[in-house]
Amino acid sequence: MLPEKSALLEFARIRISNFKVKGKEQDWLPARYIAFILQAGTGDKVGMIDLGNADNIDSAILLLKEKISQTKNFPKDDSSIVFREVFEKVFEPLKKELGETKELFVSPDGILNLIPFEILQGPDGKYLIEKYTFNYLAAGRDIVRFGEIEEKGQKALVMGGPDYDLGTENKNDVMRKLQLEQVENTSRFQRSADMEHFYFNPLPGAREEAKTIGAMLGKDKASVYTGPEAIEELLNQKIAPVILHLATHGFFIDGPKFKEPVRNRGFSISSDLNQALVIPKMNIENPMLRSGIALAGANNSIKTSEMDESDGIVTAVKILGLRLRGTDMVVLSACDTGLGEVKTGEGVYGLRRAFIQSGTKSLVMSMWQVPDQETKELMVEFYKNYLSGKLNRSQALRQAALKQIQVTKERYGNANPYYWGAFLFLGEP
């Protein structure tokens, strides 16, 4: 059931047969995006709106994301043009059908999966986050399952700012200190071959974030692990924490394209090997191996070519094996955690799919590389709002982002969504 005064937006990227061409030579017309709108309390009355050529919309979205990444020279004069172009193509046609509805459940398709609707900007200069609360879904039918998982989660698990250079001997000491079982590796785990030259830099902001959030939740309700203690074994052996918060590096490998990050929660590449990475390669890997997060010892395992169940490289494939039925929320406070291989009609193959299939009710994830400092600030404000008991999870995230908009304006002289708009909420609010 849709909550009162809300609406479901379900998008579909479709191709239409050209019926004017007969026989075996029948051709296809260009792909289009279609939006289906269901208002709460309207029964089976579904609105349908043709948004137009899908390739044009996809191009506008990719250009918008490129503009956001220009953190040093964010264009004050023409940036709004790009934001408004996507607004006009994707959201403006829906406004009449939506009426006064302010809470939207959105199930995107295609490249629409890669952009937060919150950052789109109307002709009045206002971002959509200032008018609407967005809740994202893998599919519209997921609403039917809200409240279905009744299992009680265990104590919250908060991990942040791992020691990525943790060696094997020191890790064994940590295992003994934390009284964790040494599980014999009976399976052959894999990771993307493109990770061979990755290097994860320290994240002091992520470590502070984990400690602050742990303190906010309370010692009796949360276990906090940072630095050398933020090891993968904890993730594997803790069953269904009510909240799982991971403040660390995230990665999404999009073919042979790599970028050098600046003080964010992404990854870097060994400088002497950059040239080797510009050679185009055919991507035939499991897409679930090409996205993940890094925990303690990740650099060491890459350097030594170790590859096992607990090597610190937590791919989406590994996430599928976690037991999270009973977990109310997973927060991925890292770069690119909402990205993955987009398959039209099927969603995104990456961390978002893995965590939802593992049983969590909701997921907070990012759509681009996020800055360390601003991410810490946003996450602390998010938990402050949520723990107040006055807001649900998606509302708490929205209010945190709204506050970060003001911080961004004061700090940088503009409201670049790079600093506040990357995170979106997926699942049961």
Side-chain angles (χ1 to χ4, degrees):
M1 293 289 292
L2 280 169
E4 188 178 353
K5 297 181 180 179
S6 68
L8 169 66
L9 298 179
E10 186 139 20
F11 295 87
R13 193 181 196 276
I14 65 171
R15 298 190 70 188
I16 303 173
S17 178
N18 185 357
F19 293 103
K20 293 182 179 180
V21 180
K22 299 181 180 180
K24 295 181 180 180
E25 296 181 357
Q26 189 174 47
D27 199 5
W28 294 91
L29 297 171
R32 308 182 74 81
Y33 277 113
I34 306 295
F36 299 92
I37 303 177
L38 176 63
Q39 296 273 8
T42 59
D44 58 357
K45 183 182 177 182
V46 180
M48 185 181 76
I49 298 175
D50 184 354
L51 299 179
N53 186 289
D55 290 337
N56 291 342
I57 293 174
D58 290 347
S59 296
I61 290 173
L62 294 175
L63 178 59
L64 185 154
K65 294 195 73 170
E66 182 181 338
K67 287 286 186 182
I68 293 172
S69 67
Q70 297 174 357
T71 56
K72 292 183 179 179
N73 299 302
F74 185 70
K76 299 178 182 179
D77 54 346
D78 67 346
S79 62
S80 60
I81 296 175
V82 180
F83 287 79
R84 290 176 190 176
E85 182 181 358
V86 179
F87 170 87
E88 291 169 1
K89 292 179 181 295
V90 175
F91 201 82
E92 178 67 35
L94 312 179
K95 289 179 63 178
K96 183 177 179 180
E97 186 77 23
L98 290 174
E100 298 301 315
T101 303
K102 299 301 180 184
E103 182 178 13
L104 304 176
F105 291 83
V106 182
S107 175
D109 194 14
I111 300 299
L112 291 174
N113 276 290
L114 304 183
I115 195 75
F117 281 59
E118 288 91 330
I119 70 170
L120 302 185
Q121 196 174 32
D124 58 358
K126 298 286 186 180
Y127 292 102
L128 287 185
I129 192 174
E130 299 178 76
K131 299 182 179 180
Y132 299 90
T133 297
F134 289 91
N135 304 270
Y136 294 86
L137 305 168
R141 61 180 177 273
D142 291 349
I143 293 177
V144 179
R145 295 196 291 270
F146 283 1
E148 182 181 276
I149 302 175
E150 298 179 353
E151 287 88 340
K152 294 290 185 181
Q154 306 299 312
K155 194 174 183 180
L157 175 60
V158 181
M159 303 171 71
D163 178 2
Y164 304 109
D165 296 316
L166 182 69
T168 303
E169 185 175 338
N170 290 336
K171 181 178 178 179
N172 290 334
D173 292 338
V174 172
M175 292 278 291
R176 286 190 288 269
K177 176 184 176 182
L178 299 180
Q179 298 181 328
L180 293 172
E181 298 179 12
Q182 189 76 49
V183 180
E184 183 178 352
N185 183 27
T186 57
S187 304
R188 176 64 176 169
F189 280 82
Q190 293 179 302
R191 57 176 175 254
S192 172
D194 287 330
M195 294 197 70
E196 182 181 358
H197 307 302
F198 273 28
Y199 180 79
F200 298 101
N201 298 302
L203 290 174
R207 185 177 298 201
E208 293 174 17
E209 175 185 318
K211 291 179 178 179
T212 302
I213 289 171
M216 294 172 72
L217 293 170
K219 290 183 179 180
D220 57 330
K221 295 184 179 180
S223 298
V224 182
Y225 301 92
T226 62
E229 293 186 353
I231 56 177
E232 188 176 343
E233 282 82 356
L234 284 167
L235 200 58
N236 295 332
Q237 296 181 35
K238 298 285 186 179
I239 300 175
V242 64
I243 293 175
L244 174 60
H245 185 98
L246 301 170
T248 181
H249 281 293
F251 62 87
F252 166 57
I253 308 170
D254 185 11
K257 301 176 184 178
F258 297 94
K259 291 183 179 180
E260 284 291 335
V262 289
R263 295 195 68 180
N264 59 30
R265 299 189 181 185
F267 57 86
S268 60
I269 304 169
S270 302
S271 59
D272 58 333
L273 294 169
N274 278 334
Q275 293 301 316
L277 296 173
V278 299
I279 302 173
K281 290 180 283 185
M282 183 179 293
N283 179 13
I284 58 174
E285 289 184 320
N286 179 350
M288 303 291 272
L289 292 174
R290 302 181 70 81
S291 60
I293 58 171
L295 292 177
N299 286 339
N300 184 63
S301 66
I302 292 173
K303 182 179 179 180
T304 60
S305 298
E306 291 182 3
M307 196 181 303
D308 57 37
E309 187 176 9
S310 302
D311 57 10
I313 304 295
V314 188
T315 63
V317 169
K318 288 184 177 181
I319 297 299
L320 288 169
L322 298 183
R323 292 165 289 181
L324 299 178
R325 191 171 178 84
T327 297
D328 286 342
M329 177 173 66
V330 172
V331 179
L332 301 178
S333 184
C335 291
D336 298 332
T337 50
L339 303 185
E341 184 173 324
V342 177
K343 292 184 179 292
T344 300
E346 298 181 37
V348 180
Y349 284 78
L351 288 175
R352 66 167 78 182
R353 175 179 290 259
F355 273 105
I356 294 299
Q357 289 189 359
S358 295
T360 184
K361 293 180 182 178
S362 63
L363 180 66
V364 176
M365 56 189 181
S366 64
M367 305 308 291
W368 53 75
Q369 294 192 348
V370 294
D372 195 28
Q373 178 183 353
E374 283 79 13
T375 298
K376 180 193 73 172
E377 295 168 349
L378 184 142
M379 286 298 166
V380 170
E381 188 67 19
F382 166 52
Y383 276 91
K384 177 183 175 182
N385 295 338
Y386 176 54
L387 294 174
S388 72
K390 299 177 181 179
L391 304 170
N392 64 29
R393 293 184 286 261
S394 62
Q395 292 168 346
L397 182 62
R398 174 179 180 262
Q399 290 300 320
L402 287 172
K403 182 174 181 178
Q404 202 64 33
I405 289 176
Q406 298 305 314
V407 172
T408 301
K409 288 179 178 178
E410 294 171 5
R411 188 174 291 164
Y412 301 107
N414 58 61
N416 187 350
Y418 169 80
Y419 295 104
W420 58 265
F423 289 94
L424 54 80
F425 186 90
L426 174 74
E428 186 174 341

